[in-house]
Amino acid sequence: MNDPILQVTDLSKYFPPPLLERIRSGTKAVKALDGVTFSVTRGETVGIVGESGCGKSTLARVLVGLDKPTGGIVRVDGIDVAAMTRAQRREFHRTVQMIFQDPFASLDPRMRVRRIIGEGWRAHPDLVPQSRRERTAVELLEAVRLPGEALNRFPHQFSGGQRQRIGIARALAVQPRVLVCDEPTSGLDVSVQAQVLDLLRGLVRDRGLTVLFIGHDLPVIRSIADRIIVMYLGRIVEVGHAERIFTAPRHPYTKALLSATPDPLKVVSGAAHERIMLQGDVPSPLDPPSGCRFRTRCWKAQELCARVEPVLADDVNSAACHFPEGTPPETVNGSSVAA
C-alpha cells in the first residue's frame, strides 16, 4: 500500500455558541468535529458522507487551512501543518486545493476567467513562466472541457456546470496533489453532475490526484470513491471500501442512511425496499449524548452504549459500534454482555 499523503489524528473543531444559548445552558462550545482520525493514501479517492450538520464541510475547511483546528494534528507528507515553517505552509496551500460547493459564490463576478485561473500563479510565480501563462490557461480550460475563448468571459456568462469546471481549472492551476471537493455537484442537474464526475475521474487517473469527495448523494459517492468515511455528529462512525459499505454496512447509522436512498433496480422490478425510519432528531452538538452519539436514535442501543464510547478498530474497514450489523446482540467484540 502507498504511504499516506494525508494523516488526520484526533482532530477537533469547536465553535462558540450563540450568546443566548451560552447564558441559558452554560455550554462552552459547539463540537463540530470531535476526535476525527483517518488517513488517505496517494492516488486514493475517499468519500465522506453523513447528514447535514455532521461536520463534513467543517472538516473540509480545516483540512485546507480555512479554519484552524481546536485540537489534533493534520499531517501532509508527514509534516505537521500546525508546525510548518512559512515556506512549508506556502507549499501546503499549493499542494492542497479545494473545490467549493457553490459555483456561483466561489468565483469573483468582477474577474474574467483569465484572471481567476491566474490567481494561483500570482501567489506562486515560479510555477508557470509569464510567457507560458496564456497557453497554460487555455490548456487548463481544455482539460476541463471548456473552449479557450472562455478566458475573456465573466462568470455570469456561464452555466452552473461550466462555473464548476472553471473552479476545477483554478484549483488545478497550481498543480495540487490533493483536491478537497465540498459537495461539488449538489447544485447541478443530473446530466451535468455526470459530466463533472466523469471529469474528476479522468483527472484522478491522468494526474494521479488524491481526492476527498464530500457529499450527501450516496449514488454519486459510490460512483467515484475507493473508500468511504461515514460521519455522525462530529465523529466517524464507519469507514470501509466503497462496495463493502454499500453491500454490507456494519454501523446501524450507515444502514439507515443507505435505506433512505431508493434503489432504481428495486423500483423497476417492484421488489420491496426496506426503509429504516430513525426516531427523534439529531442531538445538538452543544450537548452530545454520552457513550455512543447515535444511541438516542438506534434500535440496537443497550445500557452499554450509554456508558462506553465505541471506537474504530482501524481506519480501513471498521465501525464504531458495540453491536455492529452481522454480530449477535448478546456479544460485544467476542465477549458476552452482562444483562
Side-chain angles (χ1 to χ4, degrees):
M1 180 179 289
N2 295 331
D3 294 332
I5 189 172
L6 177 67
Q7 294 171 289
V8 177
T9 305
D10 201 25
L11 186 66
S12 62
K13 177 61 181 177
Y14 299 167
F15 294 99
L19 180 60
L20 182 61
E21 184 66 34
R22 196 182 314 170
I23 294 173
R24 182 169 61 244
S25 66
T27 302
K28 295 182 179 180
V30 176
K31 298 180 178 180
L33 296 174
D34 195 18
V36 171
T37 298
F38 66 94
S39 62
V40 182
T41 59
R42 302 174 195 278
E44 185 180 26
T45 298
V46 175
I48 302 178
V49 302
E51 291 174 284
S52 296
C54 71
K56 305 186 302 294
S57 293
T58 299
L59 176 61
R61 293 179 62 85
V62 170
L63 291 181
V64 300
L66 292 177
D67 286 338
K68 292 183 178 181
T70 303
I73 300 174
V74 176
R75 289 187 177 91
V76 176
D77 279 336
I79 301 174
D80 183 352
V81 173
M84 284 181 173
T85 64
R86 185 173 182 178
Q88 287 174 329
R89 187 168 294 278
R90 183 171 177 272
E91 180 66 15
F92 163 76
H93 287 302
R94 187 188 73 78
T95 298
V96 183
Q97 283 286 303
M98 186 167 180
I99 299 173
F100 295 90
Q101 177 178 355
D102 187 348
F104 295 90
S106 61
L107 302 179
D108 191 328
R110 299 166 297 180
M111 290 185 181
R112 296 182 189 272
V113 172
R114 172 183 286 101
R115 187 178 176 193
I116 289 172
I117 293 178
E119 280 186 292
W121 298 333
R122 288 190 289 275
H124 303 275
D126 55 316
L127 283 177
V128 180
Q130 187 73 40
S131 59
R132 279 280 304 160
R133 291 184 182 178
E134 183 81 7
R135 181 62 230 164
T136 303
V138 171
E139 290 171 354
L140 284 168
L141 286 179
E142 292 173 349
V144 297
R145 303 170 190 172
L146 287 175
E149 64 187 27
L151 283 177
N152 297 314
R153 295 157 64 184
F154 290 95
H156 73 270
Q157 296 175 284
F158 298 91
S159 67
Q162 290 174 325
R163 290 191 193 194
Q164 197 60 284
R165 294 182 189 193
I166 294 170
I168 295 172
R170 175 179 60 183
L172 295 176
V174 293
Q175 302 166 22
R177 287 180 290 147
V178 179
L179 278 183
V180 178
C181 306
D182 185 14
E183 303 195 35
T185 62
S186 63
L188 306 178
D189 293 338
V190 173
S191 60
V192 179
Q193 283 186 8
Q195 295 170 7
V196 172
L197 289 171
D198 184 57
L199 170 62
L200 287 172
R201 280 191 289 267
L203 292 172
V204 170
R205 181 184 63 249
D206 299 338
R207 297 175 181 243
L209 293 172
T210 301
V211 176
L212 270 73
F213 194 100
I214 294 168
H216 62 271
D217 190 325
L218 297 179
V220 167
I221 294 290
R222 186 178 191 176
S223 72
I224 196 170
D226 302 312
R227 192 158 51 96
I228 292 175
I229 291 172
V230 183
M231 293 187 65
Y232 181 79
L233 207 61
R235 289 187 177 170
I236 295 175
V237 296
E238 185 167 5
V239 60
H241 297 296
E243 282 308 304
R244 201 277 296 164
I245 289 285
F246 276 88
T247 57
R250 301 200 65 210
H251 198 285
Y253 174 66
T254 307
K255 186 174 182 179
L257 203 63
L258 292 172
S259 80
T261 304
D263 187 333
L265 295 179
K266 289 184 178 180
V267 171
V268 171
S269 65
H273 177 74
E274 180 187 3
R275 176 70 167 93
I276 299 173
M277 301 297 295
L278 295 178
Q279 301 300 313
D281 297 325
V282 179
S284 171
L286 286 165
D287 187 24
S290 62
C292 176
R293 296 191 174 192
F294 184 60
R295 66 176 176 81
T296 58
R297 305 171 74 195
C298 182
W299 63 93
K300 303 181 76 173
Q302 298 186 27
E303 186 270 340
L304 174 70
C305 303
R307 289 191 294 106
V308 181
E309 179 185 344
V311 296
L312 289 170
D314 58 64
D315 70 345
V316 178
N317 278 292
S318 181
C321 180
H322 293 303
F323 309 103
E325 293 295 307
T327 302
E330 67 275 5
T331 62
V332 180
N333 297 327
S335 302
S336 177
V337 176

